[in-house]
Amino acid sequence: MEQKIRLSQCMIVKNEEKNIERALSWGKDVMWEQIVVDTGSTDQTVAVAERLGAKVFHFPWIDDFSAAKNYAIEQAKGDWIVFLDADEYFLPEDVEKLLPLLEGWQHSAYQAVISGWIQVEKDADVLKGRKEGKLEWLQTVREDGSSGLSLAGTQVRIFRNQPGLRYQGRIHESLVTDQGPVSCVDASRELSVLHTGYSAEEMQGKKKTERNIALLKQELMEHPGDYKILVCLGDSYFQQKDYPEAARWYEKAASCFPASPVQETIQGAMIFKHLLLIYMDIPDEEAVMRSYRKGTACFPKDADYDYLTGRDFALRGHYKEGADHLQRALVLLEQYGSESRSALLSHNLLEAWELLIRCHNENGELNQCVSCAVTVLKAAPYRIEPLKQLLLAFQKEGQASDLQIKAFLGNFYDFQKEEDREFVKTAAQEIIYGESCRDWNSRL
């Protein structure tokens, strides 16, 4: 059966032989055509792309990403264009959603699609993170088993193939139209682009940041005071881990930021989030709170500011302040949902809940601790931290017997199953659940 919608996958490349096969494979089954515009590769990129059946074109590099991308768009014949970089891809479950979603929007006024965007180190990072029950989560999991914040946001990478809809800007280009603002539908909860290009290996091999900084400074000479360019300069130094220089450019961007920003300005919101992360790392508590106040004033629906601030307080042992901010973050996310654009909290939701549970426990707020732990365990019963905090709360309260606790845990675990018994035993042993730990475990 012929596809109702013809999808054109486009990309511009240079020396992407390590990525090009995956770039052309993830969407092979749903793409009507695949267009690769090479800007001067000296490796096997072009040969691999041709072998995989892509239509390969050549465009001389002129220090202008928009020019190269617009050339690629001009070669496309499909109804919609999916424009990802060679170091970006969709997971299989998101690929399956592409055509049905676009068919639903085919006769709408929407010109483009907003998707999620998440920086990952390797494929395994996201394959270890999955939806658990009612809580959607996606958290970076490193090879050593540790976890942390993933760089996340939104991007417009899917759009109609129509005249006048083109890229603008030498670098960190944006999609524009000659008839006014681009009309977008928000699919950031359904689709997420995964990006590996900021990994240490990629950055070292391509020297991306040095190239980006040079191009951005050219742009800044032409558009002085453009906060978007200043943010991108901050991002480039942030990626290099030159945090003082990153802070300097972010502060300049903040000084140029409009007093009444458009709520959807994700790039503007990231100014203050990155400043928070930098000043937390120094640490400079006064600067942290200054950035927090500025961020929440400009973006009152964004829960990430309270999440980051609460996380910082909790990890430094300031549990009262941590609980206040984390509770506020979760309330904001519940109240505004995807409208809040709270990418960091959304993608680290279970970690936020676990930190809140710990804060309540440390504050002696045992009822709140138990309530939050129950919320998480109903959705994700095999998260060991909330189970440990729950057992600690019961231990502190000291009123329930071991058999009563076991009966309570039966809401989440089937003690006829060995794996459930072993999981609960492990949690109990890790917190040394009183002197009765061994006896209680033997009764599971």
Side-chain angles (χ1 to χ4, degrees):
M1 181 182 295
E2 186 178 352
Q3 288 183 191
K4 295 180 181 178
I5 291 179
R6 300 181 303 175
L7 276 181
S8 295
Q9 181 184 6
C10 294
M11 70 183 76
I12 62 170
V13 298
K14 181 179 180 181
N15 294 335
E16 292 284 1
E17 63 179 11
K18 292 182 178 180
N19 294 318
I20 190 66
E21 184 161 358
R22 182 183 64 189
L24 290 170
S25 298
W26 63 260
K28 187 75 172 178
D29 293 339
V30 298
M31 298 301 167
W32 182 68
E33 64 177 355
Q34 294 179 300
I35 292 168
V36 173
V37 171
D38 186 74
T39 60
S41 294
T42 56
D43 62 5
Q44 294 300 304
T45 298
V46 169
V48 174
E50 290 176 337
R51 173 172 59 81
L52 293 172
K55 301 174 183 178
V56 178
F57 300 86
H58 298 272
F59 185 83
W61 181 243
I62 56 174
D63 287 344
D64 190 325
F65 280 93
S66 287
K69 285 190 171 184
N70 289 337
Y71 176 77
I73 292 172
E74 290 165 7
Q75 316 312 313
K77 308 299 182 190
D79 306 307
W80 289 77
I81 292 172
V82 180
F83 213 128
L84 270 60
D85 293 339
D87 52 19
E88 296 176 324
Y89 59 99
F90 283 112
L91 288 176
E93 52 264 41
D94 284 4
V95 175
E96 291 180 6
K97 300 174 189 174
L98 277 175
L99 286 173
L101 285 172
L102 292 176
E103 286 172 4
W105 299 319
Q106 178 68 359
H107 300 294
S108 72
Y110 295 125
Q111 297 171 294
V113 179
I114 298 172
S115 64
W117 182 93
I118 303 165
Q119 166 62 23
V120 296
E121 291 295 323
K122 294 181 183 295
D123 293 354
D125 292 339
V126 293
L127 295 179
K128 291 179 183 176
R130 276 293 180 267
K131 293 179 180 178
E132 297 195 11
K134 296 180 181 178
L135 295 181
E136 295 183 9
W137 67 289
L138 183 59
Q139 184 179 46
T140 299
V141 181
R142 305 186 185 98
E143 286 186 302
D144 63 3
S146 64
S147 62
L149 297 173
S150 56
L151 182 61
T154 59
Q155 295 278 347
V156 176
R157 298 303 182 84
I158 304 169
F159 50 92
R160 292 186 190 271
N161 185 7
Q162 63 183 41
L165 192 58
R166 295 293 185 267
Y167 283 102
Q168 184 179 81
R170 182 180 283 110
I171 184 171
H172 294 295
E173 57 286 351
S174 58
L175 201 64
V176 298
T177 175
D178 54 8
Q179 298 177 346
V182 178
S183 174
C184 297
V185 58
D186 189 349
S188 58
R189 300 288 286 181
E190 290 84 13
L191 303 170
S192 286
V193 175
L194 305 182
H195 178 260
T196 63
Y198 293 153
S199 67
E201 180 183 359
E202 291 278 352
M203 297 299 285
Q204 183 177 7
K206 299 179 185 177
K207 297 183 178 179
K208 283 186 173 182
T209 51
E210 290 87 347
R211 175 205 64 193
N212 291 354
I213 288 169
L215 291 177
L216 286 166
K217 288 184 176 178
Q218 290 182 49
E219 283 279 285
L220 192 60
M221 290 178 65
E222 298 174 14
H223 307 281
D226 187 324
Y227 83 87
K228 294 181 181 179
I229 300 173
L230 293 167
V231 172
C232 292
L233 277 165
D235 291 345
S236 296
Y237 286 107
F238 191 87
Q239 291 153 16
Q240 287 187 325
K241 301 187 186 329
D242 186 347
Y243 298 128
E245 189 66 7
R248 187 171 76 87
W249 288 103
Y250 286 136
E251 291 287 10
K252 285 186 176 182
S255 68
C256 298
F257 196 62
S260 300
V262 178
Q263 190 63 36
E264 300 91 314
T265 309
I266 302 302
Q267 194 175 35
M270 289 307 297
I271 297 173
F272 305 104
K273 295 178 190 181
H274 277 134
L275 283 172
L276 276 175
L277 291 170
I278 291 169
Y279 292 138
M280 287 170 181
D281 187 64
I282 292 177
D284 184 338
E285 191 165 339
E286 183 179 342
V288 166
M289 296 314 297
R290 183 177 68 245
S291 300
Y292 168 79
R293 287 191 294 270
K294 288 182 178 178
T296 53
C298 290
F299 300 94
K301 296 180 182 179
D302 196 324
D304 281 348
Y305 301 110
D306 279 286
Y307 163 56
L308 291 173
T309 305
R311 180 178 182 270
D312 183 59
F313 275 124
L315 294 177
R316 290 192 292 116
H318 298 291
Y319 299 114
K320 176 63 171 66
E321 296 87 346
D324 290 344
H325 283 285
L326 288 167
Q327 281 181 314
R328 176 176 163 78
L330 292 168
V331 168
L332 285 171
L333 186 64
E334 177 75 18
Q335 183 176 358
Y336 295 110
S338 60
E339 186 184 353
S340 72
R341 305 290 193 191
S342 309
L344 292 175
L345 175 57
S346 296
H347 296 308
N348 295 278
L349 187 56
L350 288 184
E351 185 211 36
W353 274 99
E354 289 172 354
L355 284 171
L356 178 59
I357 293 166
R358 181 183 174 189
C359 286
H360 283 319
N361 211 335
E362 295 288 347
N363 291 332
E365 300 160 344
L366 301 183
N367 287 339
Q368 293 95 318
C369 173
V370 171
S371 176
C372 290
V374 167
T375 297
V376 174
L377 290 175
K378 281 182 177 178
Y382 299 108
R383 299 281 291 192
I384 198 166
E385 190 58 31
L387 176 57
K388 287 163 59 177
Q389 293 296 328
L390 179 64
L391 294 176
L392 277 170
F394 286 143
Q395 183 185 44
K396 289 179 181 179
E397 193 175 47
Q399 296 180 2
S401 69
D402 291 339
L403 290 177
Q404 287 174 320
I405 294 170
K406 178 182 177 182
F408 184 86
L409 295 179
N411 292 301
F412 319 113
Y413 306 103
D414 181 356
F415 288 109
Q416 299 302 312
K417 296 181 179 178
E418 183 179 357
E419 58 268 32
D420 281 16
R421 293 198 304 273
E422 289 302 317
F423 182 77
V424 176
K425 284 181 183 180
T426 299
Q429 289 166 351
E430 285 189 15
I431 65 166
I432 315 176
Y433 189 72
E435 295 180 357
S436 62
C437 176
R438 184 182 302 276
D439 293 338
W440 183 65
N441 283 340
S442 68
R443 292 199 294 271
L444 291 179

